Amino acid sequence: MTATIERGAATAPVTPPRAAPSRKRVGLLGSSNGKKAVMAVTGAVMVLFLIGHMLGNLKIFLGHDSFNDYAHALRTLLEPLAPYRTVLTIIEIVLVVSVVAHMWAAISLARRAHHARPVKYVAKKSQAAGYTTHIMRFGGITILLFVIWHLLDLTFGVVNPKGFDAAPADRMVAGFDASRWWVTLIYLVAVVMVGLHLRHGVWSAFQTLGWANRTRYRALRMTAGLLSAVLVIGFLAPPLAITFGVVK
């Protein structure tokens, strides 16, 4: 007695291979290099603004009139060719767009890195790397909240004791009065966070541009640290001088 095996039942069905999914073309802003470029450009815009803002704040040491003249000059740039406050408004719009674009690029890059490595490494990150990550993540949020408070205090006068109608120098002195020491403390913490954020951001920009080779490594690290230190000291000098009665 012989057994027969049907050929069709003995072999498994063979399915044709699936075609590889077509990748969508992404533009410059959709690529990692494009997002890094956005961060570099917007970061440069914000650094230039910080330098100019710091130099303007230091005019309080030259007297109230000098500081008020600086504030008035910002609002009358290019007059009479441009209406009152036109140039300052354009600068503010560019700054806001830069901040939003900077945050968008940072969040997009962070999400892309997370999706590329959804499973955490077994080895723990170094303490320095974890520290930097927390500074950049929570420091950015802290800076954003502080900027909102700073505008409400010294620009619009909403939370300032002197109000909006007072002269800029009077608002600044009243804002950092010794009785409002907690405002100075918040300002100090926020400015230090800005300095740490800036130091890491400038250094990352150097790395992205490919400048951080062995011959330039040390010099560029010192440049990033020196720039952030100068800005921190320059921004902290006026409020501390007012709080401790050096400037009245």
Side-chain angles (χ1 to χ4, degrees):
M1 186 173 181
T2 59
T4 59
I5 300 176
E6 294 183 4
R7 184 178 180 84
T11 58
V14 178
T15 57
R18 295 181 180 177
S22 59
R23 294 184 178 180
K24 294 181 179 180
R25 292 184 179 181
V26 294
L28 178 62
L29 295 180
S31 65
S32 295
N33 289 335
K35 296 179 191 299
K36 290 178 181 179
V38 170
M39 290 195 69
V41 172
T42 55
V45 170
M46 289 186 285
V47 169
L48 291 175
F49 169 78
L50 288 174
I51 293 173
H53 190 27
M54 178 197 70
L55 293 175
N57 285 354
L58 291 175
K59 286 185 174 292
I60 195 68
F61 289 104
L62 301 179
H64 284 219
D65 291 339
S66 179
F67 187 84
N68 290 333
D69 290 342
Y70 151 73
H72 180 70
L74 287 178
R75 290 159 174 78
T76 57
L77 284 171
L78 295 184
E79 278 194 344
L81 295 177
Y84 179 78
R85 214 185 185 281
T86 299
V87 177
L88 181 59
T89 301
I90 294 174
I91 293 174
E92 290 171 344
I93 292 173
V94 171
L95 184 62
V96 170
V97 171
S98 297
V99 171
V100 173
H102 194 82
M103 293 180 64
W104 166 80
I107 294 171
S108 298
L109 287 171
R111 287 180 175 177
R112 178 166 294 184
H114 176 73
H115 290 315
R117 183 179 50 82
V119 180
K120 294 183 179 181
Y121 292 131
V122 176
K124 293 182 178 180
K125 291 182 179 180
S126 64
Q127 291 184 354
Y131 171 77
T132 301
T133 301
H134 285 297
I135 286 295
M136 298 303 288
R137 182 178 301 169
F138 299 107
I141 298 173
T142 302
I143 294 168
L144 178 62
L145 294 176
F146 167 72
V147 168
I148 295 173
W149 167 267
H150 190 57
L151 291 173
L152 292 175
D153 187 14
L154 299 182
T155 301
F156 302 110
V158 176
V159 295
N160 189 277
K162 292 291 185 179
F164 177 76
D165 295 330
D170 293 337
R171 286 203 301 269
M172 188 170 186
V173 172
F176 295 110
D177 186 79
S179 62
R180 284 163 52 97
W181 59 268
W182 52 274
V183 175
T184 304
L185 180 61
I186 292 174
Y187 192 88
L188 188 150
V189 172
V191 169
V192 170
M193 295 294 285
V194 169
L196 294 174
H197 197 93
L198 179 64
R199 178 178 177 274
H200 180 74
V202 172
W203 172 242
S204 297
F206 288 152
Q207 290 178 310
T208 301
L209 293 171
W211 295 353
N213 53 31
R214 291 184 178 181
T215 57
R216 300 172 182 170
Y217 180 89
R218 193 169 184 178
L220 293 179
R221 290 281 289 188
M222 290 180 62
T223 300
L226 181 62
L227 177 61
S228 61
V230 169
L231 285 172
V232 168
I233 294 172
F235 272 108
L236 288 182
L240 290 177
I242 293 170
T243 300
F244 289 102
V246 178
V247 175
K248 299 180 181 179

